[in-house]
Amino acid sequence: MNLDLLGWNDFFASSFEPYRHQGFTVARVVIECRNNYILQSESVELSAEITGKLRYRAAERQDLPAVGDWVVIRSRETGVTATIHDILPRKSKFSRKTAGAKTAEQIVATNVDTVFLVTGLDGDFNSRRIERYLILAWESGANPVIVLNKADLCQNLEECLAEIAAVALSVPIVTISAANSQGLEQLKPYLQPGQTVALLGSSGVGKSTITNQLMGETVQTVQAVRQGDDRGKHTTSQRELMVLPSGGLIIDTPGMREIQIWTSDEGLSETFGDIEDLAQQCRFRDCQHQHEPCCAVQEALQTGKLDVSRFLNYQKLHKEIKHMEILQDQKEYIAEKQKWKKLTKTMRNYKKG
């Protein structure tokens, strides 16, 4: 397979140049299976493991290969296995906080050009959740596209479109019915040869159905959503990079019932640009948008220019991001402290010796 069709470009080529002179080759991570990886090189699909040196250098899980990564490899004599020596710099990275109490980053996909934020136009429809996804998408470095699926089940389509348009500022919105193969042609501009798209959304929104329709065959298992709440089961159990008949690449991901933010303020500013612009018009730079005089945000709320629920979600997500930043700082402090403690102990033992 031509590397260009796998998403190879000048950005990766320049980073790989020093390795090329050392006799290494390159491949892209297709599937991640704990300690093993399935790679696609220019000539063959490979089963690979990382070197002990790379594992030792990895301070966190995100320092190891993820689906979408371009990795530096050396093939073994069998021709179907390889060793991963390094990871090339990532062009984009979609991450979230791992589920649970642990403060750690989970990489969902890397080197993605476009993120399809998929939501169902049934009981799953939730514009507040879309705002949360948009923060992560903007922060990733990829371009978001909102895909509203199950249009055939929606009784108030125009209202839903208006609601999404009000929160998805300047973000393309595509309405489809994947089960009925309706509207899928609107996705084609984002699925050009060599372009990588990741499908993200909660369980039951139809990501696997979209993947099957675009692939032209059943590659992902599809299950019906539960009656009553339209929630689905996790039909996709792992992330996988697939090449479409059109030449584009798609990464289907397991449904996310819990999506906690792992990000900085940049994604928040992109998603809530209207509120950030209003805040610049307040009299006081440190305005909390509560009872301060000449508050442009409060004025917009009173006149109906700004939706109350959108503002409340903005405040909630802003607090969540600040809290996450504190947790990350504490984690870095503890890690640095442990590092110096270990180094000091080593130096003491060296002097005693």
Side-chain angles (χ1 to χ4, degrees):
M1 177 177 291
N2 188 310
L3 286 182
D4 292 344
L5 294 178
L6 285 172
W8 186 255
N9 56 35
D10 292 341
F11 173 84
F12 302 114
S14 61
S15 300
F16 178 66
E17 193 62 19
Y19 298 100
R20 186 177 66 82
H21 290 298
Q22 299 175 49
F24 290 102
T25 54
V26 69
R28 196 168 187 191
V29 178
V30 175
I31 300 175
E32 175 190 352
C33 306
R34 294 190 178 182
N35 296 325
N36 295 301
Y37 301 86
I38 303 299
L39 314 177
Q40 180 64 57
S41 71
E42 190 170 24
S43 57
V44 69
E45 187 175 89
L46 300 160
S47 174
E49 296 178 342
I50 63 175
T51 63
K53 184 178 180 181
L54 178 56
R55 186 176 298 279
Y56 179 79
R57 288 204 320 258
E60 300 286 349
R61 180 64 189 82
Q62 65 268 22
D63 298 324
L64 297 175
V67 173
D69 273 333
W70 284 97
V71 290
V72 177
I73 66 169
R74 198 180 294 279
S75 298
R76 297 172 183 166
E77 292 182 0
T78 60
V80 293
T81 59
T83 305
I84 300 174
H85 290 257
D86 212 343
I87 307 168
L88 294 183
R90 292 157 174 157
K91 183 177 64 174
S92 63
K93 179 182 68 170
F94 190 99
S95 297
R96 66 167 177 170
K97 177 188 171 296
T98 55
K102 186 179 180 181
T103 304
E105 177 185 5
Q106 180 187 36
I107 297 178
V108 178
T110 68
N111 299 319
V112 173
D113 298 291
T114 305
V115 178
F116 284 172
L117 304 178
V118 186
T119 191
L121 287 166
D122 50 8
D124 178 76
F125 184 79
N126 187 321
S127 58
R128 302 284 79 86
R129 189 191 302 127
I130 287 292
E131 289 172 336
R132 180 177 289 269
Y133 274 110
L134 279 170
I135 290 176
L136 296 178
W138 283 124
E139 194 66 29
S140 73
N143 295 314
V145 173
I146 295 176
V147 179
L148 302 178
N149 190 25
K150 306 183 182 181
D152 55 308
L153 302 179
C154 186
Q155 303 298 319
N156 56 337
L157 182 57
E158 293 302 321
E159 292 179 19
C160 291
L161 286 172
E163 186 175 338
I164 292 297
V167 304
L169 309 178
S170 72
V171 176
I173 302 171
V174 177
T175 304
I176 67 172
S177 175
N180 297 330
S181 301
Q182 295 177 358
L184 293 175
E185 66 280 354
Q186 300 175 72
L187 305 178
K188 290 182 180 179
Y190 308 101
L191 297 165
Q192 298 302 310
Q195 293 291 298
T196 303
V197 169
L199 273 68
L200 300 164
S202 55
S203 300
V205 298
K207 299 188 304 299
S208 295
T209 303
I210 293 172
T211 298
N212 290 338
Q213 293 284 16
L214 293 174
M215 288 293 293
E217 60 179 313
T218 301
V219 294
Q220 300 284 29
T221 304
V222 177
Q223 293 184 6
V225 297
R226 293 196 306 243
Q227 293 295 322
D229 61 2
D230 290 319
R231 292 294 182 90
K233 297 180 180 179
H234 291 293
T235 54
T236 301
S237 58
Q238 63 183 4
R239 300 169 189 86
E240 181 176 357
L241 177 69
M242 292 169 276
V243 181
L244 298 171
S246 65
L249 301 114
I250 194 165
I251 301 175
D252 193 3
T253 64
M256 299 179 184
R257 290 199 178 98
E258 181 181 1
I259 180 162
Q260 296 189 47
I261 291 175
W262 182 276
T263 182
S264 69
D265 286 335
E266 293 181 17
L268 187 76
S269 298
E270 287 282 358
T271 304
F272 294 94
D274 54 338
I275 297 178
E276 301 267 326
D277 289 342
L278 285 170
Q280 295 297 317
Q281 302 172 32
C282 294
R283 174 186 290 183
F284 303 107
R285 295 189 62 181
D286 60 348
C287 184
Q288 299 300 304
H289 318 305
Q290 299 295 330
H291 307 292
E292 295 87 347
C294 299
C295 173
V297 173
Q298 281 297 322
E299 182 181 343
L301 289 169
Q302 292 170 9
T303 60
K305 181 180 178 181
L306 176 61
D307 182 71
V308 175
S309 60
R310 176 167 170 79
F311 177 64
L312 292 176
N313 199 40
Y314 166 78
Q315 289 183 311
K316 174 186 175 182
L317 293 169
H318 185 268
K319 290 179 181 178
E320 186 175 326
I321 289 172
K322 291 302 179 185
H323 178 64
M324 182 54 59
E325 289 176 349
I326 292 173
L327 292 178
Q328 290 173 3
D329 289 342
Q330 290 175 343
K331 183 179 179 182
E332 289 180 7
Y333 171 75
I334 293 172
E336 189 69 14
K337 188 175 180 180
Q338 291 176 338
K339 173 185 173 183
W340 282 106
K341 185 177 180 180
K342 184 178 180 180
L343 181 61
T344 302
K345 185 178 179 180
T346 302
M347 291 300 295
R348 285 175 180 170
N349 292 336
Y350 175 76
K351 289 179 179 178
K352 288 179 182 179

